[in-house]
Amino acid sequence: MALFSSDALNPGVQKREVFGWAMYDFANSGYTTVVLTAVFAAYFVGAVAGGASWATFAWTASLAASNALVMLSIPVLGAWADQHGAKKRLLMLSTLGCVLFTAGLGFVKPGALAMAVILIILSNLCFSWGESLIAAFLPELARPQALGRVSGWGWSFGYLGGMLTLGLSLAYVLQAQAQGAPASEFVPITMWITAAVFGAAAMVTLLLVHERPPLGRAAQQRHRGSGLASWHQLRQSLGRATAFPDFMWLLGCAVAYQAGVAVTIALAAIYAEQVIGFAPQETMVLIFVLNIAAAAGAFVFGYGQDRIGHKLALGLTLIGWTLTCVLAAVTTTKEGFWYAAAIAGVCMGASQSAGRAMAGLLAPASHLAEFYGLWTFATRLASILGPLTYGLVTLVTGGNQRMAILVTAVMFLLGLLLLYPVNLARGQRKAQVFDGGQ
């Protein structure tokens, strides 16, 4: 933990607590890497759905349904966590749920479509809850001027966890394939590996991260809103957030660029295999290398964004994402796609780190979980819009995935446009004045 000095942390925060916080990124990255991207997605399409013409749509629709549930529930979850000082308790429950449902995916056999859909919806729901809750701890740990480097350190550490989980899974898959085992035999083991790494690493987080008492108005209104319906709570949270225009611009930017990121996560393996001609094991190696690039991007940009500014850092990554989509659309060789994947990896880690740090700067301290709930709401909306837009383009163009990836480039350009009005200094002052008035 000598990567940053103690003056980067808030008073009373020890470096081991930041290590524990970062371990959650280490823990949950295996879920997105193995389940959503590299292994189970292809297994769902090819084995569970039998390679039917509607299989890819069923996969994206399952993710869309899960993300819709996240959108409905996360504002209530975040507000309740703030009001009751319960971020850690809810983090423990969401982690347990994701671990158990991921392990349950190991029992999905070819043809068990309903079981697969239900478990994907539930595991992704719990994963998203945990992702939002752990992000809400960040501004409590790091000083405003160090949010970028601490966030980047967490993201880069998280990609190491993704590589560990994928590496263990890849080693087992190669061994099983060498022995002639079918996917129905080795995919379950990769799900259990993912669940085990997630659970073990998250235990470190739960042991080292501390719950802090709610601040200001959230403490005074401890029980208010706990029984509100999801949409009412969402309107209340959005109504509060409209008083922070820079945060709202950032939310719009997040919806746009995270839609493109969601395409990469949900469809990278499918694009590599169906358009470029990668074999399944080549795809796993590709995703492994992409995680290395993502870890480097999160780490380097995490430090760099504190120097050059979070807004400029995020803008540079969105330009990089646009170039990645164009390169992927025009390349016809595996070598060319490798270059695109490397650029995507760097941009992946950097853009995720920068966005999370900016949200922490613009959110009032007394409503961190609630505002990060809105951040998660925005990213889940993006996770619906991105893949479904991609699927719709392939549908109307007769399966032209190159055209779909070019449309994805437009999402990143839109994100760059919506980033332009964000003024971090003005937004920080607004949040500080709000907390000072309570």
Side-chain angles (χ1 to χ4, degrees), residues 264 271-272 275-276 321-333 336-341 343-344 390 401-403 405-406:
T264 302
Y271 191 93
V275 179
I276 307 299
W321 271 119
T322 304
L323 294 176
T324 296
C325 293
V326 173
L327 180 58
V330 301
T331 188
T332 57
T333 65
F337 193 73
W338 270 101
Y339 286 122
I343 300 172
Y390 185 99
Q401 295 197 49
R402 294 186 185 275
M403 179 62 69
I405 204 67
L406 283 176

Side-chain angles (χ1 to χ4, degrees), residues 301-326:
F301 268 79
Y303 279 81
Q305 67 183 280
D306 285 328
R307 293 178 178 272
I308 68 175
H310 304 283
K311 180 178 177 179
L312 178 57
L314 180 57
L316 290 174
T317 66
L318 298 185
I319 294 172
W321 271 119
T322 304
L323 294 176
T324 296
C325 293
V326 173

Side-chain angles (χ1 to χ4, degrees), residues 73-298:
S73 61
I74 203 66
V76 171
L77 189 77
W80 195 90
D82 280 329
Q83 293 159 3
H84 295 78
K87 294 194 298 294
K88 186 173 179 178
R89 280 180 285 163
L90 293 177
L91 180 65
M92 179 178 64
L93 292 175
S94 64
T95 300
L96 179 62
C98 190
V99 168
L100 291 178
F101 293 131
T102 300
L105 290 171
F107 297 97
V108 174
K109 301 298 182 183
L113 183 65
M115 180 180 180
V117 168
I118 291 172
L119 288 173
I120 278 294
I121 289 175
L122 293 177
S123 62
N124 190 55
L125 176 63
C126 291
F127 167 84
S128 300
W129 284 344
E131 189 178 41
S132 175
L133 291 164
I134 197 64
F137 282 94
L138 175 59
E140 295 181 350
L141 301 178
R143 295 180 187 272
Q145 68 272 20
L147 280 175
R149 78 187 88 158
V150 177
S151 177
W153 194 85
W155 274 110
S156 60
F157 202 52
Y159 285 114
L160 293 178
M163 285 187 288
L164 172 64
T165 307
L166 181 59
L168 293 173
S169 300
L170 178 59
Y172 179 81
V173 167
L174 291 175
Q175 180 184 14
Q177 286 183 328
Q179 297 174 353
S184 59
E185 293 183 10
F186 61 72
V187 167
I189 304 299
T190 65
M191 297 299 101
W192 298 333
I193 290 173
T194 302
V197 173
F198 194 159
M203 284 295 297
V204 179
T205 301
L206 296 173
L207 288 172
L208 296 181
V209 172
H210 304 303
E211 184 75 60
R212 289 170 174 78
L215 302 174
R217 191 177 301 167
Q220 298 168 6
Q221 299 178 348
R222 177 173 298 271
H223 298 290
R224 181 181 176 185
S226 59
L228 294 176
S230 294
W231 280 109
H232 179 73
Q233 180 61 56
L234 174 60
R235 289 195 300 270
Q236 186 179 63
S237 298
L238 284 173
R240 196 188 329 273
T242 55
F244 304 87
D246 294 292
F247 182 83
M248 294 299 292
W249 279 113
L250 182 62
L251 280 187
C253 170
V255 172
Y257 86 80
Q258 292 280 9
V261 173
V263 169
T264 302
I265 294 173
L267 297 158
I270 296 173
Y271 191 93
E273 294 181 15
Q274 294 189 359
V275 179
I276 307 299
F278 276 66
Q281 64 271 22
E282 290 179 310
T283 301
M284 293 183 71
V285 173
L286 177 76
I287 301 301
F288 187 88
V289 174
L290 189 149
N291 273 265
I292 296 177

Side-chain angles (χ1 to χ4, degrees), residues 243-246 362 364 425-435:
F244 304 87
D246 294 292
L362 298 174
R426 179 181 62 199
Q428 283 183 270
R429 289 195 299 269
K430 187 76 173 179
Q432 291 165 359
V433 169
F434 179 86
D435 285 319

